[in-house]
Amino acid sequence: MEPSPGGGRRYYYRMLSSALGLVPSQPFSVQPNGRFEKMDGDNSTTDASQLGIAGDYISGSHYVLQSQEDDGDDGMNDNEDGIGSKDGFREQDIYLPIANVARIMKNAIPPTGKIAKDAKECVQECVSEFISFITSEASERCHQEKRKTINGEDILFAMSTLGFDSYVEPLKLYLQKFREAMKGEKGIVTSVTVADGLGDELTDESFTNQLPAGLITADGQQQNVMVYTTSYQQISGVQQIQFS
Amino acid sequence: MAGSDEGGKMLDFADSRQVSLPISRVKLIMKSSPDVNNINQDALFLTAKATELFVQYLAAYSYKKGSGRESKCLTYHDLARSPEECDTFQFLADILPKKILARDYFKLLEEKEKEDEGDGEETDDSD
């Protein structure tokens, strides 16, 4: 089996291969850290020494695609350590930080519940798989419509296609809230307010304050200089700072 | 991606307020899919948020199915059962293999070899 989930490409090839028909997998060994890797050759399974830690759990059964088609060039048969490259497509397995994942899991189960370490790691991998899953589907739709950028609609569509339609409505709400919040932030940052006085009490918001100031320059001439102040203490000819 | 400033702002915003997963990492994973060019801000946010929901769902579901055991601990085993019990998790079937003891696996292999040999003999017979 393909023990270490990678990015979307792994899923992509798997989809292809499962459409072509599954073939029993090669055996693989368990590394001391619990992750497993494919083993070389065909008949090395009965050699206990190659099987990591005898008596421990190893995964069994189904899966893996030894695709006989051209796609077989993907190197499924290669001796991978899970972080290999198939024809240069595969990148290093990318996961979301386990701390974040674990925190979300913790919030989902009763407070008295605990989570096994391998369960956390496993969900971490599932998450990457999920993201790739959704992205592949959304990307396909995007291409069908001859667009180059995946937008929110594609994602939502992918979710409902893949059986997560219960997420769609809540997600739309979240998106709405998110957009409003973003706009709100922008609003604060670009608003122009006039401060009461110079200097001492600068608020967090940017502001422009025009003060005529008379300066006597070195050569004795008096000049009227406009001083513009902002929360960033910039004194320059800039009248307004735009935050876009 | 368009609007890199916006992107930066969005990252800060997302991290601190609405989404507890790093958007940049989500983007990285998305981009590792084949044929993905650009990803809209909305799409990024939706994916990140959906991922959160997914984690909650998977954890809660697996925990519920596994409870009744005294340990009250969510284990790998609980997770591995989810693809067969819920259609939505079917796509995880490949990466959530059931675990078996090595000796059981050997037995399985031996049995399979015997089967194969048996088949071979039968098919070699010609009429």
Side-chain angles (χ1 to χ4, degrees):
Chain A
M1 113 114 172
E2 184 58 54
S4 322
R9 282 174 177 76
R10 181 181 48 80
Y11 167 73
Y12 180 82
Y13 294 135
R14 186 175 300 135
M15 253 180 90
L16 221 51
S17 299
S18 49
L20 299 168
L22 290 178
V23 171
S25 75
Q26 289 179 345
F28 33 82
S29 65
V30 173
Q31 298 306 302
N33 64 2
R35 303 284 172 142
F36 24 96
E37 63 178 45
K38 283 248 202 73
M39 295 197 311
D40 244 342
D42 293 333
N43 300 317
S44 39
T45 51
T46 52
D47 182 0
S49 65
Q50 290 202 26
L51 281 177
I53 306 161
D56 272 3
Y57 287 109
I58 64 175
S59 47
S61 76
H62 64 288
Y63 48 61
V64 189
L65 336 153
Q66 285 179 8
S67 170
Q68 314 294 338
E69 313 287 323
D70 281 347
D71 299 328
D73 288 339
D74 302 341
M76 287 278 194
N77 301 333
D78 289 348
N79 183 20
E80 291 180 16
D81 59 2
I83 310 184
S85 60
K86 294 178 201 168
D87 296 347
F89 286 132
R90 270 212 49 207
E91 297 153 354
Q92 189 163 359
D93 295 335
I94 311 168
Y95 305 132
L96 293 177
I98 197 166
N100 300 51
V101 172
R103 199 187 320 134
I104 302 176
M105 289 175 75
K106 245 195 169 148
N107 292 339
I109 64 175
T112 51
K114 287 184 294 182
I115 307 174
K117 180 156 188 277
D118 58 354
K120 290 184 199 171
E121 288 173 355
C122 165
V123 170
Q124 202 185 11
E125 296 173 5
C126 291
V127 159
S128 293
E129 182 72 10
F130 173 78
I131 294 176
S132 302
F133 192 45
I134 298 288
T135 306
S136 299
E137 189 67 29
S139 170
E140 216 181 279
R141 178 165 188 248
C142 200
H143 279 297
Q144 273 176 9
E145 303 192 350
K146 305 286 201 319
R147 280 183 281 114
K148 288 207 163 164
T149 307
I150 300 179
N151 62 26
E153 279 303 312
D154 295 327
I155 298 287
L156 290 174
F157 182 79
M159 305 215 83
S160 61
T161 308
L162 297 171
F164 296 99
D165 47 295
S166 53
Y167 289 14
V168 171
E169 287 308 317
L171 284 178
K172 284 192 190 161
L173 283 174
Y174 274 124
L175 184 62
Q176 209 176 9
K177 267 200 270 182
F178 174 71
R179 279 187 181 148
E180 284 168 13
M182 282 282 277
K183 257 192 262 171
E185 244 190 25
K186 280 195 218 171
I188 288 173
V189 161
T190 56
S191 69
V192 176
T193 60
V194 179
D196 290 335
L198 229 203
D200 293 321
E201 278 152 19
L202 292 174
T203 65
D204 285 345
E205 301 162 43
S206 69
F207 60 91
T208 59
N209 191 11
Q210 295 184 19
L211 304 167
L215 289 182
I216 298 177
T217 61
D219 61 6
Q221 292 191 342
Q222 186 173 23
Q223 288 183 345
N224 283 327
V225 175
M226 298 301 281
V227 177
Y228 301 94
T229 60
T230 68
S231 61
Y232 295 99
Q233 306 273 348
Q234 281 183 9
I235 299 175
S236 67
V238 177
Q239 288 194 327
Q240 203 177 17
I241 294 181
Q242 299 272 352
F243 292 95
S244 57
Chain B
M1 224 163 93
S4 56
D5 269 5
E6 273 189 6
K9 221 185 302 264
M10 181 181 145
L11 286 175
D12 292 341
F13 178 82
D15 285 344
S16 62
R17 284 178 231 193
Q18 300 259 357
V19 184
S20 62
L21 296 168
I23 298 270
S24 52
R25 197 74 73 86
V26 173
K27 186 173 171 194
L28 206 57
I29 300 175
M30 290 178 86
K31 287 215 144 184
S32 73
S33 277
D35 297 332
V36 167
N37 295 317
N38 280 322
I39 307 166
N40 188 317
Q41 296 280 356
D42 288 351
L44 257 188
F45 172 77
L46 284 174
T47 306
K49 201 66 196 164
T51 307
E52 252 185 63
L53 296 177
F54 172 74
V55 171
Q56 287 173 349
Y57 184 43
L58 179 59
Y61 182 89
S62 304
Y63 185 82
K64 221 171 26 162
K65 288 288 174 174
S67 75
R69 298 191 295 124
E70 290 181 5
S71 59
K72 294 286 183 208
C73 181
L74 177 61
T75 63
Y76 176 87
H77 178 72
D78 301 326
L79 292 167
R81 289 176 58 205
S82 60
E84 41 182 56
E85 297 188 359
C86 178
D87 284 342
T88 334
F89 295 135
Q90 262 301 305
F91 73 100
L92 293 172
D94 285 346
I95 64 170
L96 287 177
K98 293 283 189 70
K99 290 184 180 174
I100 64 177
L101 287 171
R103 55 174 174 270
D104 292 341
Y105 184 64
F106 288 145
K107 257 194 246 158
L108 263 177
L109 278 174
E110 283 174 16
E111 286 166 17
K112 189 163 191 309
E113 278 175 19
K114 284 194 202 136
E115 263 182 37
D116 289 344
E117 285 170 19
D119 286 346
E121 284 173 7
E122 286 171 6
T123 54
D124 278 351
D125 287 348
S126 52
D127 293 345

